[in-house]
Amino acid sequence: MSVLAAERRVPGAGRHAASLRFEENVPFAAAHAVDAMTWVKVDWPVAHAAAIAWHAVKAGEPLTPLSLEPELYAGTGITPLNPT
């Protein structure tokens, strides 16, 4: 979902993100949706990535979301890395 949102916002961005060697495709499960629903002011592409990152953090797995607009993650407990 996040790759699609990036592609729609900046043509080529999603395709590039999906091609990165460290990129990982993680299924969005019901547990992710439950967390994402608590962030009512967060748009769905951000909530999708934040929920997956949140579950990874709780499981002790290293995961760093990338975002050109890290401020969109406010209130999620996730701080993405701005790659610029």
Side-chain angles (χ1 to χ4, degrees), residues 48-66:
H48 174 260
I52 289 173
W54 186 246
H55 278 260
V57 167
K58 288 194 296 188
E61 299 171 16
L63 188 143
T64 303
L66 302 177

